[in-house]
Amino acid sequence: MPVEATVEKQGYESYSSGFRSRYVLKRQFSAQEVLRVIKLDGASQERELRELLAGDFQSERNQFTESVFYYEARLRPVLRTLTRDPQVTERARGLLSLVAVPEDLRLVMQLEPPPSSSGFPERWRYAVATALVNPDDEDEWSFLRQCALNEFDDRWVEAGAIQTLKLTGSPRSQRILEEAQQKNQARIRSITSALDYIKSNPTILADTDLDVLASRVAEVIKIGTWEGNGNPRLNEAGDKALVDFTFQTSEDGLVYTATFHRIDGTWTLRGAHETYQAFAPKFLKEPVR
């Protein structure tokens, strides 16, 4: 008969398993805890933010992410430090990738792969690959090329890089995609679509009007039927924004979240990644006639 150990502590997620030398309990938090952490500094802020990243937000995960984005300027320095903590590195990397500041992305790309207990040890690269629209240096271009050629053996990472190269829409993007087209037959359809878009000589994805730009980006990404965009959510300084795009395929409902930065009064796209997918066949949503 198998024997299990149950570990419980008030305010923490309970845990049951076989006997082990070490048990990890996730502390349960409200997303509002971010408001407390931003008032701290130094080692206190690092310690408390680490606890939040290692904790369990249950149904408030999206609200937590939105709060971190809003206060990104106050939290990014600590998040950069925490990318080197094996217990929270993946979540720290993901949040920095969402904000998509180039210097942070360069840091994340240079780190060793995080410890992973999942079957997708390279999946963390998806968040980075989808945040590199208009790469700034050779390291970023090289990273996108490796992802697009599936050198990390993760199809999701590969798809993210192909999308980013399409959105970048430059001659360099075209050359990488043409190389991928020769070596990567599994993605021939999406690569061909990306190349067709680039060869159409599209205008750069930048505009003084964020709503107009977001609609243009949604049209480029468009998967199935585009059903509209959510309202922009700005950061504290008002120079970064998140916008959700909703799509409907024959089988799934999808949401992509795009990150935009405002530079000298002009909004530019930094990245876009899938944040929600649910089995929702289109015929189930249509009224019965």
Side-chain angles (χ1 to χ4, degrees), residues 179-222:
E179 181 183 3
Q181 190 177 44
Q182 297 300 315
K183 298 180 179 180
N184 191 349
Q185 294 300 307
R187 289 289 182 186
I188 193 69
R189 184 175 178 180
S190 59
I191 293 173
T192 300
S193 174
L195 285 170
D196 288 344
Y197 170 76
I198 295 172
K199 291 174 183 177
S200 72
N201 195 29
T203 57
I204 187 171
L205 293 174
D207 201 292
T208 56
D209 188 317
L210 178 57
D211 290 330
V212 170
L213 176 59
S215 293
R216 288 176 55 202
V217 174
E219 283 282 11
V220 177
I221 294 176
K222 190 177 179 180

Short mmCIF file of all heavy atoms in Angstrom, two decimals, residues 179-222:
data_model
loop_
_atom_site.label_atom_id
_atom_site.label_comp_id
_atom_site.label_asym_id
_atom_site.label_seq_id
_atom_site.Cartn_x
_atom_site.Cartn_y
_atom_site.Cartn_z
N GLU A 179 15.70 30.83 -45.57
CA GLU A 179 16.53 29.73 -45.11
C GLU A 179 15.68 28.69 -44.39
O GLU A 179 15.83 27.47 -44.60
CB GLU A 179 17.64 30.26 -44.20
CG GLU A 179 18.57 29.17 -43.69
CD GLU A 179 19.62 29.69 -42.73
OE1 GLU A 179 19.61 30.89 -42.39
OE2 GLU A 179 20.46 28.87 -42.28
N ALA A 180 14.79 29.18 -43.54
CA ALA A 180 13.91 28.27 -42.80
C ALA A 180 12.99 27.50 -43.74
O ALA A 180 12.68 26.33 -43.52
CB ALA A 180 13.09 29.06 -41.79
N GLN A 181 12.58 28.17 -44.81
CA GLN A 181 11.70 27.52 -45.78
C GLN A 181 12.36 26.30 -46.43
O GLN A 181 11.71 25.29 -46.70
CB GLN A 181 11.32 28.54 -46.86
CG GLN A 181 10.21 28.09 -47.80
CD GLN A 181 9.85 29.19 -48.77
OE1 GLN A 181 10.73 29.86 -49.33
NE2 GLN A 181 8.57 29.41 -48.98
N GLN A 182 13.66 26.38 -46.61
CA GLN A 182 14.40 25.27 -47.21
C GLN A 182 14.65 24.13 -46.22
O GLN A 182 14.68 22.97 -46.61
CB GLN A 182 15.75 25.77 -47.74
CG GLN A 182 15.63 26.79 -48.86
CD GLN A 182 14.89 26.24 -50.07
OE1 GLN A 182 15.15 25.12 -50.50
NE2 GLN A 182 13.96 27.03 -50.61
N LYS A 183 14.78 24.47 -44.95
CA LYS A 183 15.17 23.47 -43.95
C LYS A 183 14.01 22.99 -43.07
O LYS A 183 14.17 22.02 -42.34
CB LYS A 183 16.26 24.06 -43.04
CG LYS A 183 17.54 24.42 -43.78
CD LYS A 183 18.58 24.99 -42.82
CE LYS A 183 19.87 25.33 -43.54
NZ LYS A 183 20.90 25.88 -42.63
N ASN A 184 12.90 23.67 -43.14
CA ASN A 184 11.84 23.40 -42.18
C ASN A 184 10.50 23.21 -42.90
O ASN A 184 9.66 24.10 -42.94
CB ASN A 184 11.75 24.58 -41.19
CG ASN A 184 10.86 24.27 -40.00
OD1 ASN A 184 10.15 23.27 -40.01
ND2 ASN A 184 10.90 25.11 -39.00
N GLN A 185 10.31 22.04 -43.46
CA GLN A 185 9.10 21.76 -44.21
C GLN A 185 7.85 21.69 -43.33
O GLN A 185 6.73 21.90 -43.81
CB GLN A 185 9.27 20.45 -44.98
CG GLN A 185 10.31 20.51 -46.08
CD GLN A 185 9.99 21.56 -47.13
OE1 GLN A 185 8.89 21.55 -47.69
NE2 GLN A 185 10.92 22.46 -47.40
N ALA A 186 8.04 21.45 -42.05
CA ALA A 186 6.89 21.33 -41.15
C ALA A 186 6.15 22.66 -40.99
O ALA A 186 4.98 22.69 -40.64
CB ALA A 186 7.34 20.82 -39.78
N ARG A 187 6.84 23.77 -41.25
CA ARG A 187 6.24 25.10 -41.10
C ARG A 187 6.10 25.81 -42.43
O ARG A 187 6.03 27.04 -42.48
CB ARG A 187 7.11 25.94 -40.15
CG ARG A 187 7.06 25.51 -38.71
CD ARG A 187 5.73 25.83 -38.06
NE ARG A 187 5.73 25.45 -36.64
CZ ARG A 187 4.66 25.52 -35.87
NH1 ARG A 187 3.52 25.96 -36.37
NH2 ARG A 187 4.73 25.15 -34.61
N ILE A 188 6.05 25.07 -43.50
CA ILE A 188 6.06 25.67 -44.82
C ILE A 188 4.90 26.65 -45.02
O ILE A 188 5.05 27.70 -45.65
CB ILE A 188 6.05 24.57 -45.93
CG1 ILE A 188 6.40 25.20 -47.27
CG2 ILE A 188 4.74 23.83 -45.95
CD1 ILE A 188 7.81 25.67 -47.38
N ARG A 189 3.75 26.34 -44.49
CA ARG A 189 2.57 27.20 -44.70
C ARG A 189 2.74 28.55 -44.01
O ARG A 189 2.53 29.59 -44.62
CB ARG A 189 1.31 26.49 -44.19
CG ARG A 189 0.04 27.27 -44.45
CD ARG A 189 -1.18 26.46 -44.04
NE ARG A 189 -2.41 27.20 -44.23
CZ ARG A 189 -3.61 26.71 -43.96
NH1 ARG A 189 -3.74 25.46 -43.50
NH2 ARG A 189 -4.69 27.44 -44.16
N SER A 190 3.14 28.53 -42.74
CA SER A 190 3.28 29.79 -42.01
C SER A 190 4.46 30.60 -42.52
O SER A 190 4.41 31.83 -42.57
CB SER A 190 3.43 29.53 -40.51
OG SER A 190 4.56 28.73 -40.24
N ILE A 191 5.53 29.92 -42.94
CA ILE A 191 6.69 30.63 -43.47
C ILE A 191 6.34 31.28 -44.80
O ILE A 191 6.70 32.44 -45.06
CB ILE A 191 7.89 29.67 -43.63
CG1 ILE A 191 8.38 29.20 -42.25
CG2 ILE A 191 9.02 30.36 -44.39
CD1 ILE A 191 9.45 28.13 -42.32
N THR A 192 5.63 30.57 -45.66
CA THR A 192 5.22 31.13 -46.95
C THR A 192 4.33 32.35 -46.75
O THR A 192 4.47 33.37 -47.44
CB THR A 192 4.49 30.07 -47.79
OG1 THR A 192 5.37 28.97 -48.02
CG2 THR A 192 4.03 30.65 -49.11
N SER A 193 3.41 32.26 -45.78
CA SER A 193 2.54 33.40 -45.48
C SER A 193 3.35 34.60 -45.01
O SER A 193 3.08 35.74 -45.41
CB SER A 193 1.52 32.99 -44.41
OG SER A 193 0.75 34.10 -44.00
N ALA A 194 4.34 34.35 -44.16
CA ALA A 194 5.19 35.43 -43.67
C ALA A 194 5.98 36.07 -44.80
O ALA A 194 6.11 37.31 -44.88
CB ALA A 194 6.14 34.90 -42.59
N LEU A 195 6.51 35.25 -45.69
CA LEU A 195 7.28 35.77 -46.82
C LEU A 195 6.39 36.57 -47.77
O LEU A 195 6.81 37.62 -48.29
CB LEU A 195 7.96 34.62 -47.57
CG LEU A 195 9.17 34.01 -46.86
CD1 LEU A 195 9.61 32.73 -47.56
CD2 LEU A 195 10.33 35.02 -46.81
N ASP A 196 5.19 36.10 -48.01
CA ASP A 196 4.26 36.85 -48.87
C ASP A 196 3.98 38.23 -48.28
O ASP A 196 3.91 39.24 -49.00
CB ASP A 196 2.95 36.08 -49.04
CG ASP A 196 3.09 34.85 -49.92
OD1 ASP A 196 4.11 34.76 -50.63
OD2 ASP A 196 2.19 33.98 -49.87
N TYR A 197 3.83 38.28 -46.95
CA TYR A 197 3.58 39.57 -46.29
C TYR A 197 4.77 40.50 -46.46
O TYR A 197 4.62 41.68 -46.82
CB TYR A 197 3.28 39.34 -44.81
CG TYR A 197 3.26 40.61 -43.99
CD1 TYR A 197 2.17 41.48 -44.06
CD2 TYR A 197 4.33 40.95 -43.15
CE1 TYR A 197 2.14 42.66 -43.32
CE2 TYR A 197 4.31 42.12 -42.41
CZ TYR A 197 3.23 42.97 -42.49
OH TYR A 197 3.21 44.14 -41.77
N ILE A 198 5.97 40.01 -46.22
CA ILE A 198 7.17 40.84 -46.33
C ILE A 198 7.37 41.34 -47.76
O ILE A 198 7.71 42.51 -47.99
CB ILE A 198 8.41 40.07 -45.84
CG1 ILE A 198 8.29 39.78 -44.33
CG2 ILE A 198 9.68 40.86 -46.12
CD1 ILE A 198 9.36 38.87 -43.78
N LYS A 199 7.13 40.45 -48.73
CA LYS A 199 7.32 40.83 -50.14
C LYS A 199 6.27 41.84 -50.62
O LYS A 199 6.45 42.44 -51.68
CB LYS A 199 7.29 39.57 -51.00
CG LYS A 199 8.49 38.66 -50.79
CD LYS A 199 8.35 37.35 -51.56
CE LYS A 199 9.52 36.42 -51.28
NZ LYS A 199 9.37 35.11 -51.98
N SER A 200 5.21 42.01 -49.84
CA SER A 200 4.19 43.02 -50.21
C SER A 200 4.64 44.43 -49.86
O SER A 200 3.90 45.40 -50.08
CB SER A 200 2.87 42.69 -49.51
OG SER A 200 2.95 42.99 -48.11
N ASN A 201 5.86 44.54 -49.29
CA ASN A 201 6.43 45.83 -48.92
C ASN A 201 5.54 46.58 -47.94
O ASN A 201 5.12 47.73 -48.18
CB ASN A 201 6.69 46.70 -50.16
CG ASN A 201 7.60 47.87 -49.86
OD1 ASN A 201 8.45 47.80 -48.97
ND2 ASN A 201 7.42 48.97 -50.59
N PRO A 202 5.24 45.98 -46.78
CA PRO A 202 4.34 46.61 -45.81
C PRO A 202 4.97 47.83 -45.16
O PRO A 202 6.20 47.94 -45.07
CB PRO A 202 4.11 45.49 -44.78
CG PRO A 202 5.37 44.69 -44.83
CD PRO A 202 5.78 44.69 -46.28
N THR A 203 4.12 48.74 -44.71
CA THR A 203 4.62 49.90 -43.96
C THR A 203 5.02 49.46 -42.56
O THR A 203 4.49 48.48 -42.03
CB THR A 203 3.54 51.00 -43.86
OG1 THR A 203 2.36 50.43 -43.25
CG2 THR A 203 3.20 51.53 -45.23
N ILE A 204 5.96 50.19 -41.97
CA ILE A 204 6.45 49.83 -40.64
C ILE A 204 5.32 49.88 -39.63
O ILE A 204 4.41 50.71 -39.73
CB ILE A 204 7.60 50.77 -40.23
CG1 ILE A 204 8.24 50.28 -38.92
CG2 ILE A 204 7.11 52.21 -40.10
CD1 ILE A 204 9.51 51.03 -38.56
N LEU A 205 5.35 48.98 -38.66
CA LEU A 205 4.29 48.91 -37.65
C LEU A 205 4.58 49.93 -36.55
O LEU A 205 5.07 49.60 -35.46
CB LEU A 205 4.19 47.49 -37.10
CG LEU A 205 3.68 46.45 -38.12
CD1 LEU A 205 3.76 45.05 -37.53
CD2 LEU A 205 2.26 46.78 -38.55
N ALA A 206 4.26 51.17 -36.84
CA ALA A 206 4.43 52.28 -35.90
C ALA A 206 3.38 53.34 -36.23
O ALA A 206 3.01 53.51 -37.39
CB ALA A 206 5.83 52.87 -35.98
N ASP A 207 2.89 54.04 -35.19
CA ASP A 207 1.85 55.06 -35.43
C ASP A 207 1.72 55.92 -34.17
O ASP A 207 1.96 55.43 -33.06
CB ASP A 207 0.51 54.39 -35.75
CG ASP A 207 -0.44 55.31 -36.49
OD1 ASP A 207 -0.91 56.30 -35.88
OD2 ASP A 207 -0.70 55.06 -37.68
N THR A 208 1.31 57.14 -34.33
CA THR A 208 1.05 58.00 -33.17
C THR A 208 -0.26 57.62 -32.48
O THR A 208 -0.48 57.98 -31.33
CB THR A 208 1.00 59.48 -33.59
OG1 THR A 208 0.01 59.64 -34.62
CG2 THR A 208 2.35 59.95 -34.11
N ASP A 209 -1.13 56.92 -33.19
CA ASP A 209 -2.42 56.48 -32.64
C ASP A 209 -2.31 55.00 -32.29
O ASP A 209 -2.21 54.15 -33.18
CB ASP A 209 -3.52 56.71 -33.68
CG ASP A 209 -4.91 56.46 -33.12
OD1 ASP A 209 -5.10 55.46 -32.40
OD2 ASP A 209 -5.83 57.25 -33.42
N LEU A 210 -2.35 54.68 -31.00
CA LEU A 210 -2.18 53.30 -30.55
C LEU A 210 -3.30 52.39 -31.05
O LEU A 210 -3.05 51.24 -31.44
CB LEU A 210 -2.10 53.25 -29.02
CG LEU A 210 -1.97 51.87 -28.39
CD1 LEU A 210 -0.74 51.13 -28.91
CD2 LEU A 210 -1.90 51.99 -26.87
N ASP A 211 -4.53 52.87 -31.04
CA ASP A 211 -5.65 52.04 -31.48
C ASP A 211 -5.52 51.66 -32.96
O ASP A 211 -5.78 50.51 -33.35
CB ASP A 211 -6.98 52.76 -31.24
CG ASP A 211 -7.33 52.88 -29.77
OD1 ASP A 211 -6.92 51.99 -29.00
OD2 ASP A 211 -7.99 53.85 -29.39
N VAL A 212 -5.10 52.62 -33.77
CA VAL A 212 -4.91 52.35 -35.19
C VAL A 212 -3.80 51.33 -35.39
O VAL A 212 -3.93 50.37 -36.17
CB VAL A 212 -4.58 53.66 -35.94
CG1 VAL A 212 -4.13 53.36 -37.39
CG2 VAL A 212 -5.79 54.58 -35.96
N LEU A 213 -2.70 51.51 -34.67
CA LEU A 213 -1.57 50.58 -34.80
C LEU A 213 -1.97 49.19 -34.33
O LEU A 213 -1.63 48.18 -34.99
CB LEU A 213 -0.39 51.09 -33.97
CG LEU A 213 0.84 50.16 -33.92
CD1 LEU A 213 1.37 49.89 -35.33
CD2 LEU A 213 1.91 50.77 -33.03
N ALA A 214 -2.67 49.09 -33.21
CA ALA A 214 -3.08 47.78 -32.69
C ALA A 214 -3.95 47.04 -33.69
O ALA A 214 -3.82 45.82 -33.88
CB ALA A 214 -3.81 47.95 -31.36
N SER A 215 -4.83 47.75 -34.38
CA SER A 215 -5.69 47.11 -35.38
C SER A 215 -4.86 46.61 -36.56
O SER A 215 -5.12 45.53 -37.10
CB SER A 215 -6.75 48.10 -35.87
OG SER A 215 -7.65 48.42 -34.82
N ARG A 216 -3.86 47.37 -36.95
CA ARG A 216 -2.98 46.93 -38.04
C ARG A 216 -2.22 45.66 -37.65
O ARG A 216 -2.10 44.72 -38.45
CB ARG A 216 -2.00 48.04 -38.40
CG ARG A 216 -2.62 49.22 -39.13
CD ARG A 216 -1.59 50.31 -39.35
NE ARG A 216 -0.41 49.81 -40.03
CZ ARG A 216 0.79 50.39 -39.98
NH1 ARG A 216 0.97 51.48 -39.25
NH2 ARG A 216 1.80 49.87 -40.64
N VAL A 217 -1.72 45.63 -36.43
CA VAL A 217 -0.98 44.45 -35.96
C VAL A 217 -1.89 43.23 -35.91
O VAL A 217 -1.51 42.13 -36.32
CB VAL A 217 -0.35 44.72 -34.58
CG1 VAL A 217 0.30 43.44 -34.03
CG2 VAL A 217 0.69 45.83 -34.66
N ALA A 218 -3.11 43.41 -35.41
CA ALA A 218 -4.06 42.30 -35.34
C ALA A 218 -4.35 41.74 -36.73
O ALA A 218 -4.47 40.51 -36.91
CB ALA A 218 -5.36 42.76 -34.68
N GLU A 219 -4.43 42.60 -37.73
CA GLU A 219 -4.68 42.15 -39.09
C GLU A 219 -3.51 41.33 -39.63
O GLU A 219 -3.69 40.38 -40.39
CB GLU A 219 -4.94 43.35 -40.01
CG GLU A 219 -6.33 43.94 -39.87
CD GLU A 219 -7.39 43.13 -40.60
OE1 GLU A 219 -7.10 42.00 -41.04
OE2 GLU A 219 -8.53 43.62 -40.71
N VAL A 220 -2.28 41.70 -39.23
CA VAL A 220 -1.10 40.95 -39.69
C VAL A 220 -1.06 39.57 -39.03
O VAL A 220 -0.77 38.57 -39.68
CB VAL A 220 0.19 41.74 -39.39
CG1 VAL A 220 1.42 40.91 -39.81
CG2 VAL A 220 0.19 43.07 -40.13
N ILE A 221 -1.34 39.52 -37.74
CA ILE A 221 -1.30 38.25 -37.01
C ILE A 221 -2.46 37.35 -37.40
O ILE A 221 -2.32 36.13 -37.47
CB ILE A 221 -1.31 38.50 -35.49
CG1 ILE A 221 -0.03 39.21 -35.06
CG2 ILE A 221 -1.49 37.19 -34.71
CD1 ILE A 221 0.00 39.58 -33.59
N LYS A 222 -3.57 37.93 -37.62
CA LYS A 222 -4.87 37.30 -37.89
C LYS A 222 -4.85 35.78 -38.05
O LYS A 222 -4.28 35.23 -38.98
CB LYS A 222 -5.49 37.92 -39.14
CG LYS A 222 -6.95 37.52 -39.36
CD LYS A 222 -7.50 38.24 -40.57
CE LYS A 222 -8.95 37.85 -40.84
NZ LYS A 222 -9.49 38.55 -42.02
#
